[in-house]
Amino acid sequence: MHDVVIVGAGPVGLLLACELGLSGCSVLVLEREAAPGSPWRTAPIGMRGLSAASLQVFYRRGMLGPLLTASGVPEVGVDSDEPAGPSFAGHFGGMVLDPANIDPAALPYRLPTPTPEFMMTSLEIVETVLSARAAKLGVEIRYGVTVSAVTQDDRSAIAHAGSHGYPARWVVGCDGGRSAVRGLAGFEFVGTEPQFTGYTMLATLADPEQLRPGFNLTPTGMYIRMRAEGHIGMMDFDGGAFDRSQQPTREHLQDVLRRVSGADVTITEVHLASSFTDRAMQSTTYRNGRVLLAGDAAHIHSPLGGQGLNSGIGDAMNLGWKLAAVVCGDAPDGLIDTYTRERHPVAARVLDWSRAQVEIMRPDPHAQAIQGVIRDLLTTRDGTTYVFGRVTGSSIRYDLGGEHPLIGRDAPDLRLADGTRLGDLMQDGRGVVLDFSDRSLHAPALGWESRVHYVSGSARNDLGLSAVLVRPDGIVAWASDDAPDRAEFERAVGQWFGSSAL
Ligand SMILES: Cc1cc2nc3c(=O)[nH]c(=O)nc-3n(C[C@H](O)[C@H](O)[C@H](O)COP(=O)(O)OP(=O)(O)OC[C@H]3O[C@@H](n4cnc5c(N)ncnc54)[C@H](O)[C@@H]3O)c2cc1C
């Protein structure tokens, strides 16, 4: 029996497998596809935007170099004491933000770090980098296995594929938006029905110059002419009426493109095309007994704002170390319940963000009026900075209690005077204590050294902090600006790394 069986070798399943493998858990990943690298996952149609927070994950686990190299993105210089500003700040309902309008003072806990603020790469590259690491960590991936049933009792869960059962102490459904595990394990999936049908296609156009490059919000919907020739995205406000069990035909795609662009453009050949909607649904909980959900299996929404993969990466990081601590360590079962508690509200906000964008894009006078107001607000510094924080996820803060404003946020890449960065210290998957206060929090007295890496020294830039405790997922569990209160610190260490009930 494995410790954990993960259903789905998409980016979320693979990252979760890596996190569990890093802690020494035995992990089996079951994937429906016969082999990796389907055309849907390769460039250009498989291109996805990764946020700064997601890129930090790759950096903190030593995978940034391979990801940047494979994606053809240069490394970021880190010699400055000021973080580099983003070159692309995202969009809201097709209205592109001006990066120069972001107010750095409103984002106080940012430090230079080797990761770009944002980058495009393909699902295939992400999965290749993660699979290579998973293999090194002893994770087994079986392709061509479609999970069709899930059973569980209070000691184990079994993923069934045909007549074969794969038993484990826990099963995690990372099997995407149409998750089989979700339904089979009895999760409730609730939310709102679609207003539009979206399409992504790779096509040859007779007259592509009729379409403007980039995001184009029009009175009838939106189209995006991507950088790669013939790669087009469209949103058609048909109430989600298109029958998605059908492959969209050339004629249909051309009709939609003409309608949303208002241009008399001609598609001569369609190479690849698929449809999606803005259906926004979420599991009411991410745990049912010994079965868990992560990524698109737990929440779906329109790709507006490109947050699905980034949310899933956040899920995998949040769940990985907790599940490992329970399965392969002596952490209490309740640690796993903090996964739903922390991640469910994050996805709920993303779903609402998607709904808000859909609402202002609708082709009716009321929606267009709100769109005009939002467009004005986006020309302001506050408006741009607010949207930037939502799009990039940098405004995410878990409610972990504690007074310091950094608690519950993703940790800045603090740097010691000797040049060591926080991200460098996180590669083994342990928590980190950075003590800039003259070793007053020295670890041996704590008894949790095997789970927490203790580092003291002066900082190159301490952002006014005297000490900080960072969880394995990069989230600040405790922080202090003044002489650290040792009792408070030990409480936080005990809460996240101890073996007593939470
Ligand atoms: C057009 C478009 C553009 C997007 N752009 C962005 C973007 O820029 N940024 C962003 O963050 N997100 C974006 N997204 C969303 C992103 O692609 C998804 O959120 C992400 O792929 C989810 O990853 P996942 O691992 O949860 O699921 P998936 O990528 O769907 O992987 C699930 C895996 O499970 C396997 N599987 C399914 N059922 C079974 C079964 N029964 N048994 C075994 N295996 C199974 C599948 O074959 C697949 O390999 C976009 C989505 C679309 C449609």
Short mmCIF file of all heavy atoms in Angstrom, two decimals, residues 7-13 30-33 41 47-49 123 127 145-147 174-177 180 200 276 294-297 303 306-310, ligand 1:
data_model
loop_
_atom_site.label_atom_id
_atom_site.label_comp_id
_atom_site.label_asym_id
_atom_site.label_seq_id
_atom_site.Cartn_x
_atom_site.Cartn_y
_atom_site.Cartn_z
N VAL A 7 -4.38 11.06 -8.23
CA VAL A 7 -5.03 10.82 -9.51
C VAL A 7 -4.84 12.05 -10.39
O VAL A 7 -5.35 13.13 -10.06
CB VAL A 7 -6.53 10.50 -9.33
CG1 VAL A 7 -7.17 10.16 -10.67
CG2 VAL A 7 -6.73 9.38 -8.33
N GLY A 8 -4.09 11.90 -11.48
CA GLY A 8 -3.86 13.02 -12.39
C GLY A 8 -2.41 13.51 -12.34
O GLY A 8 -1.95 13.95 -11.29
N ALA A 9 -1.71 13.38 -13.48
CA ALA A 9 -0.32 13.87 -13.56
C ALA A 9 -0.28 15.19 -14.30
O ALA A 9 0.57 15.42 -15.16
CB ALA A 9 0.57 12.83 -14.25
N GLY A 10 -1.22 16.09 -13.98
CA GLY A 10 -1.13 17.47 -14.45
C GLY A 10 -0.16 18.20 -13.53
O GLY A 10 0.47 17.59 -12.65
N PRO A 11 -0.03 19.51 -13.72
CA PRO A 11 0.94 20.24 -12.90
C PRO A 11 0.66 20.14 -11.40
O PRO A 11 1.59 20.05 -10.60
CB PRO A 11 0.79 21.69 -13.39
CG PRO A 11 -0.45 21.74 -14.22
CD PRO A 11 -0.71 20.36 -14.71
N VAL A 12 -0.60 20.13 -11.02
CA VAL A 12 -0.92 20.12 -9.60
C VAL A 12 -0.59 18.76 -8.98
O VAL A 12 0.05 18.67 -7.92
CB VAL A 12 -2.40 20.51 -9.38
CG1 VAL A 12 -2.78 20.42 -7.91
CG2 VAL A 12 -2.65 21.92 -9.91
N GLY A 13 -1.00 17.69 -9.66
CA GLY A 13 -0.70 16.34 -9.16
C GLY A 13 0.80 16.10 -9.07
O GLY A 13 1.29 15.53 -8.09
N LEU A 30 -1.43 8.26 -10.81
CA LEU A 30 -2.14 7.55 -11.87
C LEU A 30 -2.64 8.57 -12.89
O LEU A 30 -3.34 9.52 -12.53
CB LEU A 30 -3.34 6.79 -11.29
CG LEU A 30 -3.00 5.77 -10.19
CD1 LEU A 30 -4.28 5.19 -9.60
CD2 LEU A 30 -2.09 4.66 -10.72
N GLU A 31 -2.28 8.37 -14.15
CA GLU A 31 -2.63 9.34 -15.18
C GLU A 31 -3.36 8.63 -16.34
O GLU A 31 -2.88 7.61 -16.85
CB GLU A 31 -1.36 10.05 -15.69
CG GLU A 31 -1.51 10.86 -16.96
CD GLU A 31 -2.60 11.94 -16.90
OE1 GLU A 31 -2.66 12.68 -15.92
OE2 GLU A 31 -3.42 12.01 -17.87
N ARG A 32 -4.47 9.25 -16.73
CA ARG A 32 -5.32 8.69 -17.79
C ARG A 32 -4.62 8.65 -19.15
O ARG A 32 -4.74 7.69 -19.90
CB ARG A 32 -6.57 9.56 -17.86
CG ARG A 32 -7.56 9.23 -18.92
CD ARG A 32 -8.72 10.19 -18.85
NE ARG A 32 -8.32 11.57 -19.08
CZ ARG A 32 -9.10 12.65 -18.91
NH1 ARG A 32 -10.33 12.49 -18.50
NH2 ARG A 32 -8.67 13.86 -19.16
N GLU A 33 -3.89 9.72 -19.48
CA GLU A 33 -3.24 9.79 -20.80
C GLU A 33 -2.19 8.69 -20.91
O GLU A 33 -1.53 8.34 -19.93
CB GLU A 33 -2.56 11.15 -20.99
CG GLU A 33 -3.50 12.33 -21.02
CD GLU A 33 -4.37 12.39 -22.28
OE1 GLU A 33 -3.88 11.95 -23.33
OE2 GLU A 33 -5.52 12.82 -22.19
N ARG A 41 -1.12 20.56 -24.48
CA ARG A 41 -0.28 21.04 -23.38
C ARG A 41 1.00 21.69 -23.89
O ARG A 41 1.73 22.29 -23.13
CB ARG A 41 -0.01 19.88 -22.43
CG ARG A 41 -1.33 19.30 -21.91
CD ARG A 41 -1.20 18.18 -20.94
NE ARG A 41 -1.30 18.60 -19.57
CZ ARG A 41 -2.43 18.89 -18.93
NH1 ARG A 41 -3.58 18.83 -19.57
NH2 ARG A 41 -2.43 19.24 -17.67
N MET A 47 0.11 27.28 -23.68
CA MET A 47 0.83 28.33 -22.94
C MET A 47 0.00 28.83 -21.75
O MET A 47 -1.22 29.03 -21.88
CB MET A 47 1.14 29.52 -23.86
CG MET A 47 2.19 29.24 -24.91
SD MET A 47 3.77 28.69 -24.24
CE MET A 47 4.54 30.27 -23.87
N ARG A 48 0.67 29.01 -20.64
CA ARG A 48 0.01 29.48 -19.42
C ARG A 48 0.91 30.54 -18.76
O ARG A 48 2.12 30.47 -18.85
CB ARG A 48 -0.19 28.33 -18.40
CG ARG A 48 -1.05 27.17 -18.93
CD ARG A 48 -2.50 27.58 -19.07
NE ARG A 48 -3.37 26.48 -19.43
CZ ARG A 48 -3.74 26.18 -20.68
NH1 ARG A 48 -3.29 26.88 -21.70
NH2 ARG A 48 -4.57 25.17 -20.91
N GLY A 49 0.27 31.47 -18.05
CA GLY A 49 1.02 32.50 -17.33
C GLY A 49 1.28 32.06 -15.90
O GLY A 49 0.35 31.64 -15.21
N LEU A 123 2.24 24.15 -20.37
CA LEU A 123 1.94 23.09 -19.41
C LEU A 123 2.93 21.95 -19.59
O LEU A 123 3.38 21.33 -18.62
CB LEU A 123 0.52 22.56 -19.64
CG LEU A 123 -0.63 23.45 -19.14
CD1 LEU A 123 -1.96 22.92 -19.65
CD2 LEU A 123 -0.65 23.53 -17.63
N GLU A 127 5.18 20.41 -16.67
CA GLU A 127 5.05 18.99 -16.31
C GLU A 127 6.36 18.24 -16.50
O GLU A 127 6.67 17.32 -15.72
CB GLU A 127 3.92 18.35 -17.14
CG GLU A 127 2.56 18.87 -16.69
CD GLU A 127 1.40 18.50 -17.62
OE1 GLU A 127 1.64 17.83 -18.64
OE2 GLU A 127 0.27 18.91 -17.32
N VAL A 145 -3.76 4.95 -17.05
CA VAL A 145 -4.62 4.38 -16.00
C VAL A 145 -5.75 5.38 -15.71
O VAL A 145 -5.49 6.48 -15.20
CB VAL A 145 -3.83 4.12 -14.70
CG1 VAL A 145 -4.74 3.54 -13.63
CG2 VAL A 145 -2.65 3.19 -14.96
N THR A 146 -6.97 5.01 -16.05
CA THR A 146 -8.11 5.91 -15.81
C THR A 146 -8.85 5.47 -14.56
O THR A 146 -9.40 4.37 -14.50
CB THR A 146 -9.08 5.89 -17.01
OG1 THR A 146 -8.37 6.29 -18.17
CG2 THR A 146 -10.27 6.82 -16.79
N VAL A 147 -8.85 6.33 -13.56
CA VAL A 147 -9.53 5.99 -12.31
C VAL A 147 -11.04 6.11 -12.51
O VAL A 147 -11.54 7.14 -13.02
CB VAL A 147 -9.03 6.90 -11.16
CG1 VAL A 147 -9.90 6.74 -9.92
CG2 VAL A 147 -7.57 6.57 -10.86
N CYS A 174 -6.37 15.04 -8.30
CA CYS A 174 -5.80 16.20 -9.00
C CYS A 174 -6.13 16.01 -10.47
O CYS A 174 -5.28 16.19 -11.35
CB CYS A 174 -4.28 16.27 -8.80
SG CYS A 174 -3.79 16.48 -7.09
N ASP A 175 -7.35 15.56 -10.73
CA ASP A 175 -7.72 15.09 -12.06
C ASP A 175 -8.53 16.13 -12.84
O ASP A 175 -9.36 15.78 -13.68
CB ASP A 175 -8.44 13.74 -12.00
CG ASP A 175 -9.57 13.69 -10.98
OD1 ASP A 175 -9.63 14.57 -10.10
OD2 ASP A 175 -10.41 12.77 -11.07
N GLY A 176 -8.27 17.40 -12.56
CA GLY A 176 -8.78 18.46 -13.42
C GLY A 176 -10.24 18.82 -13.22
O GLY A 176 -10.95 18.28 -12.37
N GLY A 177 -10.69 19.77 -14.05
CA GLY A 177 -12.01 20.37 -13.88
C GLY A 177 -13.17 19.40 -13.97
O GLY A 177 -14.21 19.60 -13.35
N ALA A 180 -13.11 13.03 -11.92
CA ALA A 180 -13.90 11.84 -11.60
C ALA A 180 -13.89 11.61 -10.09
O ALA A 180 -14.92 11.26 -9.50
CB ALA A 180 -13.33 10.63 -12.33
N THR A 200 -10.35 28.44 -27.60
CA THR A 200 -8.93 28.67 -27.86
C THR A 200 -8.60 27.86 -29.11
O THR A 200 -9.03 26.71 -29.23
CB THR A 200 -8.07 28.29 -26.64
OG1 THR A 200 -6.70 28.45 -26.98
CG2 THR A 200 -8.31 26.87 -26.15
N PHE A 276 -14.25 26.33 -23.68
CA PHE A 276 -14.34 26.37 -22.22
C PHE A 276 -15.48 27.33 -21.88
O PHE A 276 -16.04 27.97 -22.78
CB PHE A 276 -13.01 26.81 -21.59
CG PHE A 276 -12.49 28.13 -22.10
CD1 PHE A 276 -12.87 29.33 -21.50
CD2 PHE A 276 -11.62 28.18 -23.19
CE1 PHE A 276 -12.39 30.55 -21.98
CE2 PHE A 276 -11.14 29.40 -23.67
CZ PHE A 276 -11.53 30.58 -23.07
N ALA A 294 -7.41 18.79 -5.12
CA ALA A 294 -6.55 19.97 -5.31
C ALA A 294 -6.60 20.40 -6.77
O ALA A 294 -6.85 19.60 -7.67
CB ALA A 294 -5.11 19.63 -4.91
N GLY A 295 -6.33 21.68 -6.98
CA GLY A 295 -6.30 22.23 -8.34
C GLY A 295 -7.69 22.31 -8.95
O GLY A 295 -8.69 22.50 -8.24
N ASP A 296 -7.76 22.16 -10.27
CA ASP A 296 -9.04 22.29 -10.97
C ASP A 296 -10.08 21.29 -10.46
O ASP A 296 -11.28 21.52 -10.60
CB ASP A 296 -8.86 22.09 -12.48
CG ASP A 296 -8.36 23.35 -13.18
OD1 ASP A 296 -7.91 24.28 -12.48
OD2 ASP A 296 -8.40 23.40 -14.43
N ALA A 297 -9.66 20.20 -9.89
CA ALA A 297 -10.62 19.24 -9.33
C ALA A 297 -11.42 19.88 -8.20
O ALA A 297 -12.56 19.52 -7.96
CB ALA A 297 -9.87 18.00 -8.82
N PRO A 303 -10.77 31.15 -17.58
CA PRO A 303 -9.34 31.46 -17.51
C PRO A 303 -9.05 32.95 -17.45
O PRO A 303 -7.88 33.33 -17.45
CB PRO A 303 -8.78 30.86 -18.81
CG PRO A 303 -9.89 30.29 -19.57
CD PRO A 303 -11.18 30.61 -18.88
N GLY A 306 -6.02 34.35 -15.81
CA GLY A 306 -5.02 33.29 -15.73
C GLY A 306 -4.67 32.88 -14.31
O GLY A 306 -3.52 32.98 -13.91
N GLN A 307 -5.65 32.40 -13.56
CA GLN A 307 -5.33 32.09 -12.17
C GLN A 307 -5.53 30.63 -11.79
O GLN A 307 -5.24 30.25 -10.65
CB GLN A 307 -6.18 32.97 -11.24
CG GLN A 307 -5.85 34.44 -11.44
CD GLN A 307 -6.50 35.32 -10.40
OE1 GLN A 307 -6.43 35.07 -9.23
NE2 GLN A 307 -7.15 36.36 -10.84
N GLY A 308 -6.03 29.81 -12.72
CA GLY A 308 -6.34 28.42 -12.37
C GLY A 308 -5.10 27.64 -11.98
O GLY A 308 -5.05 27.00 -10.92
N LEU A 309 -4.11 27.67 -12.83
CA LEU A 309 -2.88 26.93 -12.55
C LEU A 309 -2.18 27.50 -11.32
O LEU A 309 -1.69 26.75 -10.47
CB LEU A 309 -1.97 27.00 -13.79
CG LEU A 309 -0.57 26.41 -13.65
CD1 LEU A 309 -0.62 24.96 -13.21
CD2 LEU A 309 0.17 26.53 -14.98
N ASN A 310 -2.15 28.81 -11.24
CA ASN A 310 -1.49 29.43 -10.08
C ASN A 310 -2.19 29.06 -8.78
O ASN A 310 -1.54 28.79 -7.77
CB ASN A 310 -1.43 30.95 -10.28
CG ASN A 310 -0.49 31.32 -11.42
OD1 ASN A 310 0.66 30.90 -11.43
ND2 ASN A 310 -0.97 32.08 -12.39
C1 LIG B 1 -7.46 28.57 -22.48
C2 LIG B 1 -6.94 28.45 -21.08
C3 LIG B 1 -5.94 29.32 -20.65
C4 LIG B 1 -5.47 29.25 -19.35
N1 LIG B 1 -4.49 30.11 -18.94
C5 LIG B 1 -4.05 30.05 -17.67
C6 LIG B 1 -3.01 30.93 -17.22
O1 LIG B 1 -2.49 31.75 -17.99
N2 LIG B 1 -2.60 30.85 -15.92
C7 LIG B 1 -3.18 29.97 -15.05
O2 LIG B 1 -2.81 29.98 -13.87
N3 LIG B 1 -4.13 29.10 -15.46
C8 LIG B 1 -4.56 29.11 -16.73
N4 LIG B 1 -5.50 28.21 -17.16
C9 LIG B 1 -5.99 27.17 -16.22
C10 LIG B 1 -4.98 26.00 -16.09
O3 LIG B 1 -4.70 25.42 -17.33
C11 LIG B 1 -5.55 24.94 -15.16
O4 LIG B 1 -6.02 25.56 -13.98
C12 LIG B 1 -4.49 23.90 -14.78
O5 LIG B 1 -4.09 23.17 -15.91
C13 LIG B 1 -5.05 22.94 -13.73
O6 LIG B 1 -4.09 21.98 -13.41
P1 LIG B 1 -4.55 20.60 -12.76
O7 LIG B 1 -3.29 19.80 -12.58
O8 LIG B 1 -5.41 20.87 -11.59
O9 LIG B 1 -5.51 19.92 -13.83
P2 LIG B 1 -5.20 19.47 -15.33
O10 LIG B 1 -4.15 20.31 -15.94
O11 LIG B 1 -6.52 19.41 -16.00
O12 LIG B 1 -4.61 18.01 -15.17
C14 LIG B 1 -5.44 16.95 -14.74
C15 LIG B 1 -4.80 15.62 -15.14
O13 LIG B 1 -5.62 14.56 -14.65
C16 LIG B 1 -5.77 13.59 -15.68
N5 LIG B 1 -7.03 12.87 -15.42
C17 LIG B 1 -8.30 13.34 -15.59
N6 LIG B 1 -9.19 12.40 -15.22
C18 LIG B 1 -8.49 11.31 -14.83
C19 LIG B 1 -8.85 10.02 -14.34
N7 LIG B 1 -10.14 9.67 -14.18
N8 LIG B 1 -7.87 9.15 -14.04
C20 LIG B 1 -6.55 9.48 -14.19
N9 LIG B 1 -6.16 10.70 -14.65
C21 LIG B 1 -7.10 11.59 -14.95
C22 LIG B 1 -5.77 14.39 -16.97
O14 LIG B 1 -5.45 13.60 -18.08
C23 LIG B 1 -4.72 15.46 -16.66
O15 LIG B 1 -3.43 15.02 -17.00
C24 LIG B 1 -6.00 28.27 -18.46
C25 LIG B 1 -6.99 27.39 -18.91
C26 LIG B 1 -7.46 27.48 -20.20
C27 LIG B 1 -8.53 26.54 -20.65
#
